[in-house]
Amino acid sequence: MLFRRIYQFLIVYFIGLIFLLLIKAVLSLSDYVIPGVGLITETFGQVLNTYFFDVMNTMSVTVLGQCISIAMAFGVGIAGRKSSWMGSFIKVTAYNIQAYPIVALAPIIFILLGDGFISRLLIASMICYFPLLLSVLGIMATPVEDIEHFYIITGRMRWQLEVKIRAFENLSKITTVISGSATLAMAGTIVAEFIAANAGIGYSIRVALYQSDLAKILVALFMIGIIISIYQGCLETLGEQIKTRWSVSKGGNTI
Amino acid sequence: MKKKNLIFWMFLFATALVATSHAGETELNYRLKWLFNTSVAGDIYAEAKGYFREAGLKVNVREGSPEKNAINELELGHSDFGVASADQVIRALDKGAKIIVLAQLFQVSPMQWIYRTDQPQIKTLEDLKGRNIGITFGGNDETVMNTLFAKAGITKKDVKIFGVRFDFTPFFKREVDVWPVYFNSQGVILKDKLEKEGEKVYFFNPADFGVNFVANSVITSEKTWKNRPDMVKKFTAALLKGWEAAMEPSNEADVLMEIKKKDKESNDELRRLQLIATRELIKPLASIKIGTIDTDAWKQTETIMLDEKQIKKPVHVETMLKN
Amino acid sequence: MRLECYNLNYTYPDSEVPVIRDLSFSMETPGFNAVFGPSGVGKTSLAKLIAGMEPGFSGKIITTGIDTILYSYNLERLPGWSGTGNHLDKVTPDGKQQLKDRLISIFELKNILESRFSKLSMGQQNRINLVRYLLQDFDLLIMDESLANVDEKLRETIILSIKDLFPAKMFLYISHNLMEVSGLCRDVLVFGKPSGNKGCSIIGGRDYTKGYQPDKETLDRTMLEIMNAI
């Protein structure tokens, strides 16, 4: 899973790079517009180390932001799963807030919280949170009738059991959404850094953009891609392990 | 048969006429460095007053942004002329781009710093010591400030550096003493805001301390400059005519009206103040002709960038300045 | 103990055709009764109405001496995160351990208690599901094809044991097996074909108990009676 993610990324990255170099060759563009192989390699050597730590910095915010957004999505998803007035109020509110692009809200966040770690974390969580919420709400609001019926008719149903049944029945969907949301959390953090932070790879990209340095941006994209692939691969492996552990019986059977 | 022939020839003649009338007007694209506002007054005015048309040109003046880089567009053939700052030009030359500078719009760089008058005035570079100075990391102001530091022998220990964003709150909250601004746009807005609060401001201009970092200039590709010299001449002349007219105080009301059509963001008074500030930068002295290229300032800009390791080798920018 | 229905009419919210039309019947005293009829005549709908799961019907359902009604059906599932035995333990009320063990033995489930539900055959799944219902407190248990996919011999053993173990309870067993309902059930509520005009009627089944001696002639007569009612 992990290696597949990495080589899939490498294939896409190098196809993109070859495409750019082809355009450069066909239109005989200078290194300023599209850097040549030499310049890209040279830039790789110069900034790889710095960018690695920048991406790791971004990654730390991403992971934390994702954890927060998962907790928030499950909290709201569980609270909003009922077809009661409160449930539908929570659902409608969540859907409506989602309509605002976070990037548009970002300046307000920066003015209120400054341009440090908390703002980055909040924006990353918010960008990652809404798609997660939609999935969690969808899963939590859909009854698994053939399992739940017994507990309802015998008066044994508790909200914890209901959540457990629905989460277990949709485990694959949940792990896919969570690992998919890692990309969103990363994108959110990068956007936040690009707009207003003093650290992270998003900030480095902004600096490179100021200097119209596409070579640096290509290195940044490479580092982001590799590290997000590793992170996603780890999440998927973890998801598989959780699924196996939760669904394997003592006798060794699997679902 | 004869009648049919007549109709055919008349049609052909009419088509030719239409074609000729269009062919007489050369259409070209001109990419600005930033959004439509008062600092591009001359570009707006040249188009609005028909100076381009008089020169037989149909110019599409297009707004710029960080993503819409004029140099890239020149190479890709999306634009014929553009506006770029000297550092962009020098960086592009360093990477093999073929760029020609046709005119230097700002004689004085708008890149300056604002600070309150309740603080000691910065009379020498030594006075920067101990202050909390705002810098846009990666931006021109960082290069300029580093050069000033190097000139005065100031190290990073002597000052406090604050990474600046689009949001001015740290300056308002006095967390930062000296804040980088574009003198004729943000500078005017900040000055206006603080004056309303009863606070007065100074501007710290690096040029006063011998650092002339050239800002916006009109550029074209070497190919266009070589292959279409007439068009280049016509365009430059019409554009500079627009700038001369726009900077003429007697045209102020008319210029402001044309800017207002394009820039709905600012209010009338701010635009007026910005125009006055722009005039100081574009035509600091009546004797200076708009568009004059300050070759020494260009050379100094290149030296600064070389010292700051922003370029790898000398690009001899003076050879690309074709006023 | 009495279950009475008067002039029941029910149409599903998304349909215009009534699934139950003017149905009246009554069943008295505890016992193992059946609902029999072709597919689509409203057997499951009736069961859900009696269990209180479908509102919006007209007519009356009177349950005298029946406080708790449970409805179980074929294809119900147990959660998958642990073995079936574990789930069974969790839903066994205090004091019913012995009953649980006995049912497990009768239903031949001893060897599958460690397995996850999804790993069981459909017959095993239905059996374990029915056991957990039988362990609950109830007065009337509706078994909607709850023994589907269980082999005939074991099915008969199970039904006869249920009758033996729960003589004071009422059961409504929905089944498509004519022989089974004719022989093992007491009252058989027979739904006529929707195309016909026979409506519903109650036919007395043979109501065999453990150790019964089959009487082919009377059983055939009952079966014929039921078929005629359809």
Side-chain angles (χ1 to χ4, degrees), chain A residues 79-80 82-93:
Chain A
K82 291 283 178 199
S83 50
S84 62
W85 182 87
M86 201 37 148
S88 58
F89 174 76
I90 290 171
K91 254 182 277 182
V92 169
T93 314

Side-chain angles (χ1 to χ4, degrees), chain B residues 107-164:
Chain B
Q107 298 303 318
V108 177
S109 171
M111 181 72 262
Q112 301 184 11
W113 275 261
I114 191 170
Y115 61 105
R116 291 177 175 84
T117 52
D118 58 11
Q119 292 186 8
Q121 198 177 352
I122 303 168
K123 288 179 181 159
T124 67
L125 291 178
E126 283 289 308
D127 296 335
L128 286 171
K129 283 185 177 172
R131 305 213 192 200
N132 199 340
I133 301 168
I135 275 176
T136 319
F137 291 118
N140 285 343
D141 53 321
E142 187 187 12
T143 315
V144 171
M145 192 49 89
N146 283 346
T147 309
L148 290 165
F149 287 160
K151 219 173 167 195
I154 297 172
T155 64
K156 293 275 159 74
K157 284 179 194 159
D158 301 324
V159 288
K160 274 188 202 159
I161 301 293
F162 183 94
V164 159

Side-chain angles (χ1 to χ4, degrees), chain C residues 26-64:
Chain C
S26 80
M27 287 174 176
E28 288 172 37
T29 69
F32 200 87
N33 303 321
V35 180
F36 187 80
S39 296
V41 290
K43 299 188 294 293
T44 296
S45 304
L46 172 67
K48 285 183 176 175
L49 294 188
I50 294 170
M53 291 163 62
E54 297 283 358
F57 62 89
S58 70
K60 262 187 187 170
I61 299 175
I62 302 168
T63 50
T64 314

Side-chain angles (χ1 to χ4, degrees), chain C:
Chain C
M1 187 175 269
R2 188 196 290 259
L3 169 66
E4 296 163 279
C5 293
Y6 296 107
N7 308 107
L8 278 188
N9 283 288
Y10 181 67
T11 308
Y12 277 105
D14 52 355
S15 164
E16 285 179 4
V17 185
V19 62
I20 294 174
R21 217 179 284 179
D22 205 26
L23 172 67
S24 300
F25 73 92
S26 80
M27 287 174 176
E28 288 172 37
T29 69
F32 200 87
N33 303 321
V35 180
F36 187 80
S39 296
V41 290
K43 299 188 294 293
T44 296
S45 304
L46 172 67
K48 285 183 176 175
L49 294 188
I50 294 170
M53 291 163 62
E54 297 283 358
F57 62 89
S58 70
K60 262 187 187 170
I61 299 175
I62 302 168
T63 50
T64 314
I66 300 172
D67 293 328
T68 310
I69 303 172
L70 297 183
Y71 169 74
S72 75
Y73 63 96
N74 172 29
L75 297 179
E76 269 186 84
R77 288 189 296 140
L78 269 68
W81 57 77
S82 59
T84 49
N86 190 26
H87 284 298
L88 214 52
D89 289 341
K90 283 200 171 149
V91 297
T92 306
D94 292 341
K96 291 200 174 178
Q97 286 305 318
Q98 275 188 326
L99 176 63
K100 186 190 83 177
D101 294 341
R102 199 148 168 219
L103 286 172
I104 286 171
S105 159
I106 295 164
F107 280 60
E108 296 180 5
L109 294 169
K110 224 172 233 170
N111 297 331
I112 56 127
L113 295 177
E114 292 282 294
S115 304
R116 301 292 163 117
F117 185 78
S118 60
K119 289 282 134 189
L120 308 182
S121 72
M122 285 169 85
Q124 288 170 325
Q125 289 182 340
N126 278 336
R127 278 183 276 150
I128 195 100
N129 181 44
L130 185 57
V131 167
R132 62 178 182 160
Y133 276 96
L134 291 168
L135 288 170
Q136 310 307 311
D137 289 326
F138 65 91
D139 299 305
L140 166 59
L141 174 61
I142 303 167
M143 296 162 55
D144 190 349
E145 300 192 50
S146 298
L147 288 170
N149 300 98
V150 179
D151 69 83
E152 215 156 312
K153 192 165 171 284
L154 183 57
R155 216 162 54 213
E156 187 182 305
T157 313
I158 288 171
I159 292 172
L160 290 173
S161 301
I162 289 174
K163 289 169 78 167
D164 186 35
L165 288 169
F166 304 94
K169 310 285 184 189
M170 184 185 273
F171 293 86
L172 260 188
Y173 179 48
I174 299 174
S175 168
H176 286 107
N177 188 318
L178 178 60
M179 175 98 83
E180 195 173 66
V181 296
S182 309
L184 301 176
C185 300
R186 201 189 64 200
D187 290 340
V188 182
L189 173 67
V190 183
F191 276 76
K193 272 185 189 162
S195 50
N197 53 1
K198 289 192 173 162
C200 290
S201 49
I202 294 224
I203 310 284
R206 303 317 306 155
D207 199 13
Y208 295 143
T209 50
K210 262 189 179 173
Y212 72 94
Q213 291 299 317
D215 175 357
K216 199 173 175 304
E217 198 181 319
T218 50
L219 185 62
D220 282 350
R221 205 178 316 132
T222 308
M223 283 165 61
L224 199 63
E225 226 176 312
I226 291 173
M227 286 314 290
N228 283 335
I230 291 174

Side-chain angles (χ1 to χ4, degrees), chain A residues 150-161:
Chain A
F150 170 80
Y151 297 99
I152 294 167
I153 205 157
T154 57
R156 289 173 183 279
M157 187 56 101
R158 302 285 175 270
W159 73 265
Q160 295 93 327
L161 180 63

Side-chain angles (χ1 to χ4, degrees), chain A residues 37-225:
Chain A
V37 179
L39 184 58
I40 296 173
T41 322
E42 193 187 323
T43 312
F44 250 92
Q46 282 166 358
V47 295
L48 196 66
N49 201 25
T50 326
Y51 278 14
F52 173 75
F53 288 105
D54 284 343
V55 178
M56 289 319 281
N57 187 321
T58 303
M59 201 62 208
S60 59
V61 181
T62 300
V63 175
L64 200 56
Q66 206 192 353
C67 291
I68 292 173
S69 58
I70 291 169
M72 273 166 48
F74 271 86
V76 176
I78 289 166
R81 76 190 191 287
K82 291 283 178 199
S83 50
S84 62
W85 182 87
M86 201 37 148
S88 58
F89 174 76
I90 290 171
K91 254 182 277 182
V92 169
T93 314
Y95 285 126
N96 281 344
I97 294 174
Q98 191 210 202
Y100 292 107
I102 302 301
V103 178
L105 295 176
I108 302 172
I109 293 169
F110 290 123
I111 288 167
L112 293 178
L113 300 171
D115 54 12
F117 175 75
I118 295 291
S119 295
R120 279 203 286 164
L121 186 64
L122 189 65
I123 292 171
S125 325
M126 284 174 83
I127 286 185
C128 173
Y129 159 70
F130 288 117
L132 262 177
L133 176 67
L134 293 187
S135 303
V136 174
L137 262 180
I139 288 167
M140 287 302 159
T142 312
V144 186
E145 278 172 12
D146 52 355
I147 295 182
E148 291 175 17
H149 170 75
F150 170 80
Y151 297 99
I152 294 167
I153 205 157
T154 57
R156 289 173 183 279
M157 187 56 101
R158 302 285 175 270
W159 73 265
Q160 295 93 327
L161 180 63
E162 188 175 275
V163 168
K164 194 175 176 183
I165 291 172
R166 292 177 190 181
F168 183 82
E169 287 299 308
N170 294 284
L171 208 53
S172 298
K173 221 189 272 179
I174 290 173
T175 49
T176 309
V177 168
I178 287 177
S179 70
S181 73
T183 323
L184 286 171
M186 188 78 167
T189 317
I190 294 171
V191 166
E193 289 165 350
F194 187 85
I195 301 173
N198 275 336
I201 194 71
Y203 166 70
S204 301
I205 291 177
R206 194 173 58 94
V207 172
L209 193 68
Y210 265 144
Q211 300 165 349
S212 307
D213 199 333
L214 189 61
K216 278 186 182 169
I217 293 172
L218 286 173
V219 179
L221 290 180
F222 180 80
M223 292 307 299
I224 292 169

